Amino acid sequence: MIKINKDHFEEKRSSIKALNLQYDKTYLTFQDVLNKGNKFSSMEKIQDIYAYTKFMINLNPKSKRLEPQGKREGIMFIGTNPSERSQLKDLWKDPYGIYFGEFLREAGIDPLEVWVTNLYKYPTENNRPLTLEEISDGKLELLYEIQYVNPKIIILLGKQAMEVFNAKLYEFTEYKKYKTLGMLHPSYVNRMQGQIKEEFIKQLKKIKLWLQ
């Protein structure tokens, strides 16, 4: 992985925003050429630069979105995207955030000690599933966010988030250097309750024990 000078990108952020579309096209061109030449190491470096650029562009987005929040270098939870009912201000005050916080506390995990984000930071109309384009765009930004957070473990919440990182339900796997675990989405758990909720809490407790 290459290291990117954040200060440099801060200074150039305004001009980068104007070049968003060009960056998209340039990245796809580089990716195609390097992929054909099997130059995967070089392709990963290009991907890092592009992911960081997308991250910087979205620091002041035109559309309202739910920003990630929490504490770095611990547990990182990645959901799918915000609910259409979200106020897009404070995750823990949204309906989803309220009961997810309750689940965490029941498992002995402080919600303020974890990092919570989404694969895609924007709500969709009628809470429809993400399109392939939205998944691709969200993942590119998420690549840098993961490096920034540097989590000890990544928890993928829900089917779409698990599929993107090839995670398995309630099984430890790996993504690059990070330990990953797939879990049901808290919204589903809240609807079903019963044994599904019990197992969800049990898995959260297992994560806490694994970190100790």
Side-chain angles (χ1 to χ4, degrees), residues 3-150:
K3 293 183 178 180
I4 304 169
N5 188 322
K6 185 174 180 180
D7 292 335
H8 173 74
F9 273 87
E10 286 283 3
E11 295 171 2
K12 300 297 182 180
R13 184 169 61 186
S14 58
S15 59
I16 288 174
K17 289 173 69 177
L19 295 172
N20 193 0
L21 181 59
Q22 288 89 331
Y23 262 86
D24 288 349
K25 292 179 179 178
T26 301
Y27 168 74
L28 292 174
T29 301
F30 270 121
Q31 185 184 53
D32 184 58
V33 171
L34 295 171
N35 194 24
K36 287 180 179 178
N38 293 323
K39 297 181 179 180
F40 298 111
S41 177
S42 297
M43 187 165 67
E44 189 173 80
K45 292 178 182 179
I46 294 294
Q47 191 178 55
D48 280 352
I49 295 172
Y50 182 77
Y52 191 91
T53 303
K54 295 291 285 187
F55 180 81
M56 296 303 297
I57 289 170
N58 285 321
L59 287 181
N60 285 313
K62 294 180 181 179
S63 302
K64 288 186 177 181
R65 57 187 233 152
L66 184 62
E67 298 297 342
Q69 59 191 87
K71 187 174 181 179
R72 298 165 55 198
E73 300 183 341
I75 306 173
M76 182 178 192
F77 289 97
I78 300 177
T80 306
N81 69 306
S83 166
E84 192 175 38
R85 296 167 56 199
S86 172
Q87 298 299 312
L88 303 178
K89 294 179 180 179
D90 184 350
L91 180 145
W92 300 115
K93 293 181 180 179
D94 280 351
Y96 149 76
I98 290 172
Y99 52 74
F100 183 40
E102 291 174 354
F103 294 161
L104 291 174
R105 283 187 286 271
E106 189 172 340
I109 298 173
D110 184 348
L112 300 181
E113 293 295 311
V114 304
W115 185 274
V116 183
T117 189
N118 283 294
L119 171 61
Y120 189 66
K121 307 296 191 288
Y122 306 87
T124 55
E125 187 176 0
N126 297 322
N127 294 320
R128 61 162 174 76
L130 299 179
T131 64
L132 292 177
E133 182 179 359
E134 289 166 342
I135 290 172
S136 177
D137 191 55
K139 184 180 178 181
L140 285 168
E141 180 184 352
L142 195 57
L143 288 174
Y144 174 74
E145 188 180 344
I146 290 172
Q147 292 181 55
Y148 171 75
V149 176
N150 190 29

